[in-house]
Amino acid sequence: MTSTGLNDVVDFINLSRDRHVEELKAFLAIPSISALAEHAADLRRCADWIAGEMRRIGLHNVTLIETPGNPVVYADWLDAPDAPTILFYGHYDVQPVDPLDQWTSPPFEATVRDGEIYARGAADDKGQIFMHFKAIEAYMQKQGRLPVNIKFMLEGEEEIGSSHLDEFVRSHRRELAADVVVISDSPMLERGIPSICYGLRGMVYCQIDLRGSKTDLHSGSFGGAVANPAFVLAQVLAQMKDRSGRVKIPGFYDAVRPLTDEERAEWKKLPFNETRYRKEIGAPRLAGEKGYTVFERVWGRPTFEVNGLLAGFTGEGAKTVIPAVAMAKVSMRLVPDQQPDVVATLFENYVRKVTPRTVELKVTRMHGGKPWMAAFDNAFVRAAGRAIEQGFGKAPVFNREGGSIPVVSTFQEELGLPSVLFGIGLPDENSHAPNEKLDLENFHNGVIASAYLYREIAGVGRRSDAPGAPSP
Ligand code: BES
Ligand code: MN
Ligand code: MN
């Protein structure tokens, strides 16, 4: 195919800009919050909405595939027999919206302000999925076909750890066979600096429950004679990291692959303004493991975080009470070659060791995901680089990210597939936070870049005999 063969597609995309935004609003209106059981029906409604959209733009074999949790939405287009096959992965579930009072406009009434669309899921991940739908629609409208084969696999449990997805991939190996995975679920390095991400951190998420008495106690009558679980919890958590930011769990760093001098040197070349970073976050000072830069801390080093604490009286006024229970949600971000199960056990053992016998301890494992890191000197990544250059007018830089997408390492391990992380979010997109937003210029350029991506990947040729006959 020639490099001018896309003018009709690109013109169609440019003319459809306003319509794209209006349609995206409908997708963003569905509160598909996977963490909250009361939204189970909304997840299904969202899956149905996607299925309808997939059929409308001309994808085939649109199916909701049941899992023990939320359905996976599958669709494909496989009528390019000599071209490679993309396995496109994304997630239609979103994070909870609290604290709701901090949203400028309601999270499920998408609102455009200053060139950004604000809504839960705008960037993570509905907007970035929709960008691909719109690229495909443009091809179908203008050329009646795609230059590549593509299989869509959109899940509804990413934000709660993708716990049914490994099994899903294992049991649908044949249907998911492809040459390369494409994912748009990450931010670019900075506004105006598109990037391709070649590494993600892994994750272990646990809950700690402490109980000190069968019910709350008067802190005057009992204070001093029993342990206070809230205080014990603070003491336990305080032992997780030392003052130089190092995690104190014995064995935690044993499997950590050290950063190479080469990679550290590459990251030092990336544009970064530490003061601006700090100010954008609104932090009085930055903190982190001694001896590492911000990029190194976030992309290349593991960490321990407290995600939430619950204990005792937090209402208005003062109440003299010793709480019966205290709870913490904690998580660890992992880097290659840490194994989630191994780290979870190390953590559990350490918590047992440092928790005094004055309280009852329960540790619950919630979810985990393996870290992922890939060589990025392959033909698919280079194809993605050219597509980004055509959509954004600038070649991408290469970075890792601190976030996690559990299934990416599964694609590598179970299907032997490389992934291309073709993300168009921004560091200030407020994902998981109030006022999540997607830059519409990036969205628009991303639709064009996606159209080029399919053509560029088509040019790479097939790696396998992947397309086959699908029957999910
Ligand atoms: N899209 C993010 C992952 C991400 C974040 C990639 C930042 C690159 C940079 C994804 O939706 C996410 O939030 N994942 C969770 C996974 C967890 C629940 C296992 C995360 O990272 O917390
Ligand atoms: Mn995401
Ligand atoms: Mn997310």
Side-chain angles (χ1 to χ4, degrees):
M1 222 168 277
T2 65
S3 59
T4 50
L6 268 190
N7 287 346
D8 53 346
V9 171
V10 172
D11 287 349
F12 181 88
I13 292 169
N14 282 324
L15 287 168
S16 308
R17 198 174 169 151
D18 291 345
R19 177 178 60 82
H20 290 171
V21 173
E22 288 314 306
E23 290 173 1
L24 175 58
K25 285 181 181 173
F27 192 10
L28 294 171
I30 307 169
S32 48
I33 304 171
S34 51
L36 304 174
E38 72 217 58
H39 285 285
D42 293 318
L43 279 128
R44 201 153 283 274
R45 193 153 62 85
C46 194
D48 285 333
W49 188 93
I50 292 168
E53 173 70 8
M54 286 170 153
R55 284 189 194 101
R56 205 183 58 72
I57 62 177
L59 293 172
H60 302 151
N61 294 309
V62 180
T63 328
L64 265 55
I65 308 179
E66 295 304 327
T67 74
N70 300 320
V72 169
V73 189
Y74 176 89
D76 59 34
W77 192 91
L78 303 172
D79 292 343
D82 299 322
T85 299
I86 295 172
L87 175 61
F88 181 90
Y89 164 82
H91 64 94
Y92 63 87
D93 63 323
V94 300
Q95 286 274 325
V97 296
D98 58 286
L100 186 58
D101 60 350
Q102 288 182 28
W103 285 78
T104 305
S105 50
F108 297 109
E109 290 171 30
T111 308
V112 175
R113 290 192 294 277
D114 302 329
E116 318 243 17
I117 186 162
Y118 286 81
R120 174 57 86 230
D124 186 10
D125 179 27
K126 289 174 175 173
Q128 298 197 61
I129 292 173
F130 203 63
M131 150 186 123
H132 288 271
F133 287 173
K134 294 301 101 176
I136 287 173
E137 180 184 51
Y139 268 110
M140 293 302 192
Q141 289 292 316
K142 300 315 289 184
Q143 305 192 345
R145 57 180 296 108
L146 300 177
V148 281
N149 300 294
I150 192 161
K151 299 175 175 181
F152 277 87
M153 170 188 159
L154 306 181
E155 72 152 320
E157 301 187 295
E158 196 274 345
E159 299 291 9
I160 50 173
S162 303
S163 47
H164 301 111
L165 213 58
D166 281 0
E167 178 50 34
F168 179 90
V169 171
R170 271 193 287 273
S171 57
H172 293 84
R173 267 210 185 84
R174 194 172 47 84
E175 294 91 332
L176 299 175
D179 295 280
V180 61
V181 176
V182 170
I183 302 174
S184 291
D185 188 25
S186 50
M188 19 197 254
L189 187 73
E190 223 182 275
R191 195 177 291 274
I193 307 184
S195 52
I196 292 179
C197 169
Y198 65 91
L200 293 164
R201 288 196 291 187
M203 143 96 38
V204 169
Y205 202 116
C206 296
Q207 178 169 328
I208 304 174
D209 284 281
L210 301 184
R211 176 175 286 279
S213 53
K214 65 174 191 277
T215 177
D216 287 1
L217 301 169
H218 190 294
S219 69
S221 308
F222 298 95
V226 289
N228 180 323
F231 189 65
V232 172
L233 184 58
Q235 290 176 314
V236 167
L237 294 176
Q239 300 197 55
M240 293 297 147
K241 266 187 190 177
D242 70 16
R243 302 199 68 173
S244 64
R246 234 184 122 77
V247 178
K248 284 168 66 181
I249 301 166
F252 186 77
Y253 291 95
D254 285 0
V256 169
R257 196 191 301 173
L259 287 163
T260 63
D261 291 341
E262 202 188 339
E263 196 174 27
R264 295 178 92 169
E266 284 304 316
W267 292 356
K268 292 220 167 67
K269 291 186 212 153
L270 296 173
F272 183 67
N273 180 327
E274 192 161 313
T275 308
R276 219 182 78 204
Y277 177 83
R278 180 181 64 73
K279 286 194 171 146
E280 254 165 35
I281 295 169
R285 288 277 169 88
L286 292 179
E289 190 181 358
K290 225 174 122 192
Y292 294 92
T293 66
V294 169
F295 284 158
E296 289 164 0
R297 286 169 177 172
V298 177
W299 301 345
R301 297 294 294 171
T303 188
F304 178 97
E305 298 302 334
V306 181
N307 301 107
L309 286 171
L310 195 64
F313 180 70
T314 56
E316 195 184 336
K319 184 182 184 208
T320 46
V321 67
I322 298 176
V325 294
M327 186 273 274
K329 305 242 186 204
V330 303
S331 60
M332 286 147 272
R333 295 278 170 179
L334 312 181
V335 299
D337 301 303
Q338 288 177 296
Q339 293 287 339
D341 291 343
V342 173
V343 173
T345 303
L346 295 174
F347 166 74
E348 267 179 43
N349 292 343
Y350 183 57
V351 172
R352 281 225 171 79
K353 196 180 125 218
V354 299
T355 304
R357 301 290 163 256
T358 51
V359 294
E360 271 171 35
L361 165 69
K362 193 171 114 199
V363 181
T364 311
R365 292 189 195 188
M366 321 257 306
H367 60 63
K370 288 182 188 164
W372 169 77
M373 184 169 146
F376 54 91
D377 55 353
N378 64 61
F380 294 111
V381 171
R382 285 193 294 276
R386 291 191 296 275
I388 286 174
E389 199 163 346
Q390 277 148 321
F392 290 84
K394 217 171 196 178
V397 298
F398 294 92
N399 67 333
R400 289 206 238 166
E401 282 290 344
S404 311
I405 307 175
V407 77
V408 182
S409 75
T410 311
F411 288 141
Q412 183 63 57
E413 288 173 14
E414 296 292 334
L415 305 179
L417 291 184
S419 289
V420 177
L421 266 67
F422 192 78
I424 58 111
L426 284 174
D428 69 350
E429 69 194 11
N430 296 325
S431 60
H432 297 203
N435 304 309
E436 180 177 347
K437 63 184 182 195
L438 180 66
D439 183 285
L440 286 173
E441 196 61 38
N442 279 355
F443 171 74
H444 178 65
N445 291 339
V447 178
I448 294 171
S450 301
Y452 279 108
L453 177 69
Y454 309 148
R455 197 197 56 177
E456 293 294 341
I457 286 183
V460 170
R462 290 168 65 172
R463 233 172 37 103
S464 67
D465 54 354
S471 50

